[in-house]
Amino acid sequence: MMNDPYERSAEYIDIMIADAWDAFDPSLAEALGGVDAVEGTIVDLGAGSGRGVRAVCAALPDDSPVLAVEPSPALRAVLLARVHEDARLRRRVTVDSGDALNTPLPDRIRALLAMNMIGHLPPGQRQELWARVAPRLAPGGRVILNLAPPTAP
């Protein structure tokens, strides 16, 4: 059984990050500018409760696929509920229980989000992640991340 660092806080995370996502949403939409002309899957690593998934789908309202990767069972439960409650998200979003380094990535990535999670990876794992993503990133695609704590392992 995996050790879930969010086991005790997951029920509160979505509420605690709501204000931050109110600020992230417009910036994320701006960062995704021009990606509407790019082919491929949108990947949200560490999708948490799904606020990023919802923001991406609002910014890119086409029906392109979204892969939401969330290893925490507790956070994934909230993510699955969020996806299930919206018919468009249900059609578009696949939820994976893997992590950033072990989830099979699609051949072509349109955009990759790593919001509030990149600091959880030690430098060597970050390099491994970028080595996995770089050959799959579509021309004109985007990698979008923020440096929220922890910024160092």
Side-chain angles (χ1 to χ4, degrees), residues 45-46 69-71 96-105 117 121 132:
L45 296 177
V69 179
E70 179 49 57
D96 189 286
S97 64
D99 61 42
L101 299 177
N102 297 308
T103 295
L105 294 175
M117 66 75 61
L121 300 178
R132 292 184 72 215

Side-chain angles (χ1 to χ4, degrees), residues 9-106:
S9 62
E11 64 186 300
Y12 307 107
I13 293 287
D14 195 63
I15 296 164
M16 293 181 341
I17 65 172
D19 289 343
W21 272 99
D22 287 344
F24 290 157
D25 281 0
S27 298
L28 181 57
E30 183 180 336
L32 289 168
V35 175
D36 53 347
V38 175
E39 296 288 324
T41 301
I42 300 150
V43 178
D44 186 354
L45 296 177
S49 64
R51 286 185 176 269
V53 168
R54 187 175 61 192
V56 164
C57 290
L60 299 170
D62 59 31
D63 287 327
S64 60
V66 176
L67 173 61
V69 179
E70 179 49 57
S72 164
L75 289 177
R76 197 169 54 253
V78 180
L79 167 63
L80 286 165
R82 177 162 276 139
V83 168
H84 177 74
E85 72 188 8
D86 184 316
R88 274 200 86 214
L89 295 183
R90 278 196 311 269
R91 286 190 301 273
R92 241 179 124 170
V93 178
T94 300
V95 176
D96 189 286
S97 64
D99 61 42
L101 299 177
N102 297 308
T103 295
L105 294 175

Side-chain angles (χ1 to χ4, degrees), residues 108-121:
R108 172 103 37 214
I109 297 173
R110 181 181 190 190
L112 181 124
L113 272 68
M115 300 295 290
N116 299 318
M117 66 75 61
I118 204 70
H120 292 284
L121 300 178

